[in-house]
Amino acid sequence: MVNFRKYISGVTVLAAGFLFAQSTVSTVLYSQNYDNKANLNLPSPAAYVEKAILLPKELVDISVNTMMTDPVLKNATWGFVVYDPKTKKIISSYNENTPLVPASTTKLLTTETAMSMLGENYRWMTQLEYSGEIDENGTLNGNLYIVGSGDPSLGTNKAGAWSYKDIVSDFAGGMTREGIKKVNGDIIIQTALFKGNISALPENVVWLENNNYYLPVGTTKEINPANERLIVKKSMNPAADKKFFYVSPYVNKMVYAEKYDGNGTLTTKLPDAPAFLANSFRASLVKSGVAVTGKVTPKMTDASPELRKMISAYKSPTLGDIIYYTNQRSDNSLAEALLKTVGFQKMGDQTSESGRIVVNNHLKDIEFDLEGLNYMDGSGLSRSNHVTPISQVKFLTSLMDEKFYKTYFNSLPIGGQSGTLKGMFVGEGNGQVFAKTGTLNKVKTLAGYLKTNSGRTLVFSLMVNNYAGSVGQVKSKMETILKPALDL
């Protein structure tokens, strides 16, 4: 905690200076054109004197101390640290060693692990292949294969990814080049990734983030849905399986659930992207006059694989592009997919648990400050995630020496200009704060880099848990804490 005692003499001088400044500044600024004082919008004389007397670091400390008694923060649990990566010294801090819920600043760890392991130019491939032979009439006596690799952006248009329509069109073009006019066989989906795409939700997952309802893939079994409601949509066919929806009490939106166990537990499933692509492709072929006699069928493993020839290959956006999109928009589904991707790359399976093990091991390898760390999911939705402000700034400082630092730095939202920071630091600090935001109910966090007016790059973390008032109010307090650091 910052000690106020050393500022007693400064405040005394400030008070005397203020009495002098009232007359002096008023005289300098006076003009007959400004007789109507209601039209004046001049900075407070005290503000000039305060900046003249106190050092920038002292202004930062005073700002932090002032917030301790602010109605919005006085009963909150919060921590703050601003750190100089060159001197490796803390400039100002408060509760910097306290483990706090980081919300979506958790994505800093997830995305960095993916970039470190895979490289910023990594791409996922989705290929169209065929087996068998094409006869003189253009009939393929064999199978088509859609071979996926777990592309989390497939068909989403995210980060510049193609839509399903675009990919289908490209695949159809490849069929034309090969002279295939009829398929006397099946369309086989082959991907070993994400084949088991039903998993447990992160512990204590929350349902509200940035005013959007969010139910990730998984089951509600691990949480208590006592305050939620279940409704059943009437089916067109009473004999058909009923369709269940999960309704959040926070916002009136619904999410489809495939299964209801009857004990308050629901299970949801992510759309099977390769299957959706394969079925869309088949429908498009048939519509365009290319008959397909077989069906769409999955084949995860193949003991005796057929010889195949590639027709077309779709490359995803680069991992750097996907991480840019993830951090700018705080995209939860991409972050969770990246968690599973690193789990598969290192451990051979695509579960969230494997992903957590890989991320935690990676953090140990790079000597992350593990004190107080609890990494539960890839997106930061779980309230069981915990990290300390000091560990965040040390982590962000260490990234400055990595070869991918520029790409990673550029993925962060910019204050007043882009992403989830576009609405903060619109005036002072505009274009000088580069940070990942985090928002849950009564949780607001910010961690990243700050370019000072003198050209220094500082690293900071500011996490607020259990605040009073609105999220808009706590954002304003966060700006008040950070803005004096611009003069450091």
Side-chain angles (χ1 to χ4, degrees):
M1 183 182 296
V2 180
N3 192 334
F4 245 154
R5 293 178 185 173
K6 62 182 180 180
Y7 301 120
I8 292 176
S9 59
V11 172
T12 303
V13 175
L14 178 61
F18 175 70
L19 292 174
F20 171 75
Q22 276 191 315
S23 59
T24 304
V25 176
S26 298
T27 302
V28 171
L29 296 176
Y30 176 75
S31 170
Q32 290 182 346
N33 295 327
Y34 301 135
D35 279 340
N36 183 359
K37 292 184 179 180
N39 293 328
L40 287 175
N41 187 23
L42 299 173
S44 165
Y48 281 123
V49 178
E50 183 182 74
K51 285 196 172 186
I53 294 175
L54 298 178
L55 297 173
K57 180 190 182 309
E58 295 171 333
L59 291 173
V60 174
D61 291 342
I62 287 179
S63 178
V64 172
N65 271 291
T66 302
M67 288 301 115
M68 293 178 195
T69 57
D70 187 276
V72 174
L73 300 182
K74 68 177 181 179
N75 293 319
T77 304
W78 62 284
F80 166 70
V81 59
V82 58
Y83 185 83
D84 188 333
K86 283 194 172 181
T87 63
K88 292 183 170 49
K89 291 183 179 179
I90 293 173
I91 294 174
S92 182
S93 66
Y94 172 69
N95 282 344
E96 70 273 18
N97 293 306
T98 300
L100 296 163
V101 177
S104 283
T105 59
T106 302
K107 292 182 177 74
L108 292 168
L109 307 183
T110 309
T111 53
E112 186 278 333
T113 300
M115 192 171 282
S116 177
M117 285 184 56
L118 304 175
E120 60 187 271
N121 294 315
Y122 179 86
R123 295 176 187 262
W124 289 261
M125 297 283 288
T126 304
Q127 298 177 186
L128 176 65
E129 303 172 350
Y130 75 88
S131 63
E133 299 293 333
I134 304 169
D135 66 20
E136 65 275 7
N137 297 317
T139 298
L140 170 63
N141 293 299
N143 299 314
L144 291 175
Y145 283 81
I146 290 182
V147 184
S149 60
D151 178 3
S153 67
L154 188 68
T156 64
N157 290 121
K158 294 178 178 179
W162 287 12
S163 66
Y164 287 115
K165 182 179 179 180
D166 292 333
I167 299 171
V168 165
S169 177
D170 182 69
F171 283 1
M175 297 276 286
T176 301
R177 289 192 299 272
E178 293 291 333
I180 299 173
K181 299 176 183 178
K182 180 180 178 180
V183 178
N184 189 21
D186 295 327
I187 298 179
I188 297 172
I189 306 164
Q190 191 161 63
T191 174
L193 293 180
F194 309 130
K195 58 182 181 291
N197 58 357
I198 294 180
S199 60
L201 290 173
E203 183 183 353
N204 297 328
V205 73
V206 296
W207 307 108
L208 183 67
E209 183 181 24
N210 294 331
N211 297 316
N212 291 317
Y213 179 70
Y214 182 73
L215 177 62
V217 58
T219 172
T220 60
K221 188 174 182 179
E222 300 300 321
I223 67 163
N224 180 10
N227 297 321
E228 311 287 331
R229 294 186 295 116
L230 286 174
I231 62 171
V232 180
K233 184 177 181 180
K234 292 182 179 179
S235 175
M236 296 292 289
N237 181 1
D241 291 337
K242 292 180 179 179
K243 295 180 179 179
F244 294 92
F245 290 79
Y246 197 76
V247 182
S248 166
Y250 298 112
V251 288
N252 195 21
K253 291 187 179 180
M254 300 182 295
V255 172
Y256 173 67
E258 292 184 328
K259 180 182 175 186
Y260 176 45
D261 295 336
N263 60 356
T265 299
L266 282 170
T267 300
T268 65
K269 186 178 181 181
L270 284 173
D272 191 333
F276 187 88
L277 175 61
N279 281 292
S280 298
F281 181 50
R282 186 184 188 281
S284 177
L285 289 176
V286 172
K287 186 177 179 180
S288 65
V290 179
V292 180
T293 63
K295 60 183 179 180
V296 173
T297 182
K299 185 183 285 186
M300 300 304 176
T301 57
D302 196 346
S304 303
E306 299 178 294
L307 290 175
R308 304 198 299 257
K309 180 180 178 181
M310 188 171 71
I311 299 175
S312 186
Y314 165 69
K315 291 183 180 181
S316 75
T318 66
L319 178 63
D321 290 333
I322 288 177
I323 286 177
Y324 177 88
Y325 188 98
T326 302
N327 285 337
Q328 285 283 322
R329 305 204 182 192
S330 203
D331 190 288
N332 295 314
S333 60
L334 285 180
E336 295 297 345
L338 290 177
L339 177 69
K340 292 184 177 184
T341 297
V342 297
F344 180 83
Q345 292 291 328
K346 199 75 173 179
M347 300 185 68
D349 69 67
Q350 71 294 340
T351 64
S352 296
E353 178 57 31
S354 290
R356 284 195 293 270
I357 292 171
V358 170
V359 172
N360 277 289
N361 287 341
H362 169 70
L363 295 177
K364 290 177 184 176
D365 290 342
I366 64 172
E367 298 182 350
F368 184 91
D369 185 353
L370 300 175
E371 190 70 29
L373 176 68
N374 192 35
Y375 178 87
M376 286 299 297
D377 66 6
S379 60
L381 283 167
S382 175
R383 289 182 180 272
S384 293
N385 287 313
H386 285 96
V387 70
T388 64
I390 190 63
S391 65
Q392 281 194 331
V393 298
K394 287 181 178 178
F395 168 72
L396 290 167
T397 299
S398 70
L399 299 189
M400 298 175 76
D401 295 326
E402 296 291 342
K403 60 183 179 181
F404 55 77
Y405 170 67
K406 183 178 179 181
T407 301
Y408 194 82
F409 177 86
N410 289 338
S411 78
L412 300 176
I414 304 173
Q417 297 186 12
S418 68
T420 54
L421 260 188
K422 193 171 183 179
M424 292 182 70
F425 304 99
V426 175
E428 192 176 356
N430 191 312
Q432 294 177 259
V433 179
F434 309 79
K436 182 72 195 73
T437 61
T439 308
L440 298 175
N441 191 23
K442 298 302 178 184
V443 175
K444 187 63 189 167
T445 59
L446 197 59
Y449 307 92
L450 185 149
K451 299 282 189 179
T452 71
N453 296 326
S454 63
R456 297 168 70 186
T457 297
L458 304 178
V459 188
F460 74 91
S461 169
L462 176 53
M463 293 190 282
V464 183
N465 292 182
N466 303 316
Y467 57 84
S470 68
V471 67
Q473 287 176 310
V474 78
K475 281 183 180 179
S476 176
K477 305 307 175 187
M478 295 174 89
E479 289 175 324
T480 300
I481 292 172
L482 283 168
K483 282 179 181 177
L486 296 170
D487 289 322
L488 288 168

